[in-house]
Amino acid sequence: MVVMDMDYTLLNKNKEVSPGNKEALAEAAKKGVHLVVATGRIYSSARFYTRLLGINTPIIASNGAIIKEDATNKIMFQSILLDEVALEMIRLCKENGLYCHLYSQDTVYTEKIINISQRYSEWNQRLNEEDRININVVESLEKTVEEERGKILKAVVVDDDEEKLAYIREKIMETGKVSVSQSLKDNLEVMNKGINKGNAIRILSEIYGIKRDEIIAIGDNENDISMVEYAGLGIAMGNAVDILKERADYITGTYDEDGVAQVIREFVL
């Protein structure tokens, strides 16, 4: 099983899958290798790219809070964010003048189109209606937690103020009920305790009967550490953050160098 992060791993800076990566993935699929996308993105966003690849792959989205098969529409695993965690994140963000966003599998809930919802909004303009991300601007996120109970998977806040993000991270971790990670310097992603990409690939490996030493995981940022450490062969992109490179077994090329394809040709084909 080969598990790949999306942004700045499988995707280049233009949010495209290169021809080189597509070709290598297609060849691996023909050999019967399970190909899995693992991302912090909302499920419906990740699904768009897996459909472009033309490969029937399980999707690990929201940093492992949901695992779903597109072809069968089957949810293989999900972890609904605790109401008290979502409410505390909303409170902490408002206390610091920031905007919290809540994710379900297909909808971003926000009180203002800003940062992450702005990016998704701009992205939607380039997509067909069926591929667009639902962006629900609400009057009260607190009320949304109640009304959408059983659907919220992750809370996200994005801002350039690293001190504020560090403060929120510290305070939300004090609850003892969360997993926290960052996929970019300016964001903070909060899931239930124990939820991460590493846990998700453990679940998938048990479903498919794949041994740990038969798993390759490739990523570039902090939220990829758990899966890179879990995999039998953990790989950091050449453009990865230093903390991930330190934990990886191998460093491949950058996203501009088709680092994913290099891994597949070196260790799979």
Side-chain angles (χ1 to χ4, degrees):
M1 183 163 71
V2 177
V3 187
M4 303 154 286
D5 172 51
M6 291 186 66
D7 293 287
Y8 303 107
T9 299
L10 180 59
L11 305 181
N12 59 28
K13 62 182 178 182
N14 296 320
K15 308 302 180 189
E16 298 168 338
V17 183
S18 72
N21 281 343
K22 283 184 183 178
E23 183 181 337
L25 290 171
E27 290 181 35
K30 287 178 183 177
K31 282 184 165 286
V33 176
H34 289 278
L35 301 172
V36 180
V37 166
T39 179
R41 284 175 178 250
I42 194 168
Y43 169 80
S44 48
S45 173
R47 181 186 63 196
F48 170 80
Y49 288 101
T50 60
R51 286 179 175 178
L52 281 183
L53 289 171
I55 296 169
N56 182 20
T57 170
I59 298 168
I60 297 170
S62 292
N63 284 330
I66 185 169
I67 308 172
K68 187 174 178 181
E69 284 183 335
D70 180 29
T72 63
N73 212 32
K74 177 185 176 183
I75 295 176
M76 305 169 80
F77 170 83
Q78 69 175 344
S79 176
I80 302 300
L81 189 64
L82 293 171
D83 288 357
E84 59 192 282
V85 170
L87 291 171
E88 179 64 2
M89 269 297 290
I90 294 165
R91 187 191 71 78
L92 286 168
C93 288
K94 289 186 174 179
E95 178 185 289
N96 286 275
L98 305 182
Y99 287 90
C100 184
H101 290 65
L102 302 177
Y103 284 21
S104 69
Q105 66 169 293
D106 59 8
T107 302
V108 176
Y109 302 91
T110 180
E111 292 179 0
K112 183 179 180 179
I113 299 293
I114 188 172
N115 295 321
I116 192 70
S117 52
Q118 180 68 39
R119 294 173 197 171
Y120 275 134
S121 180
E122 292 169 357
W123 190 63
N124 276 346
Q125 294 174 22
R126 303 193 295 272
L127 299 178
N128 295 325
E129 188 171 349
E130 65 177 22
D131 293 322
R132 291 174 186 167
I133 310 304
N134 298 325
I135 302 173
N136 193 345
V137 181
V138 300
E139 289 186 13
S140 166
L141 277 180
E142 291 88 349
K143 188 177 292 185
T144 297
V145 171
E146 180 180 348
E147 292 175 346
E148 302 298 315
R149 183 167 288 125
K151 296 181 181 179
I152 305 303
L153 300 167
K154 184 175 83 163
V156 184
V157 59
V158 176
D159 197 81
D160 292 330
D161 192 324
E162 293 183 20
E163 287 188 10
K164 286 184 178 181
L165 291 184
Y167 172 79
I168 292 172
R169 180 173 188 147
E170 177 185 357
K171 291 300 180 183
I172 199 68
M173 288 185 69
E174 285 178 1
T175 66
K177 298 178 179 181
V178 299
S179 288
V180 179
S181 68
Q182 291 181 264
S183 54
L184 294 168
K185 283 198 308 183
D186 65 351
N187 81 350
L188 188 66
E189 307 176 27
V190 176
M191 296 71 59
N192 284 333
K193 188 173 182 178
I195 298 302
N196 53 50
K197 293 183 182 183
N199 179 65
I201 63 172
R202 177 189 61 78
I203 292 169
L204 272 182
S205 68
E206 291 174 358
I207 291 172
Y208 291 134
I210 295 173
K211 298 175 183 177
R212 193 169 175 177
D213 62 6
E214 296 174 328
I215 300 170
I216 297 173
I218 315 167
D220 76 300
N221 221 309
E222 179 192 322
N223 65 332
D224 299 314
I225 290 174
S226 61
M227 72 173 187
V228 164
E229 289 188 328
Y230 182 83
L233 181 61
I235 296 178
M237 296 292 289
N239 51 277
V241 295
D242 288 342
I243 191 172
L244 184 66
K245 287 181 176 178
E246 291 165 4
R247 311 282 183 94
D249 302 307
Y250 181 86
I251 299 174
T252 186
T254 67
Y255 58 82
D256 280 334
E257 299 166 334
D258 290 352
V260 168
Q262 288 181 29
V263 170
I264 290 173
R265 298 200 180 283
E266 176 75 18
F267 298 104
V268 178
L269 299 179

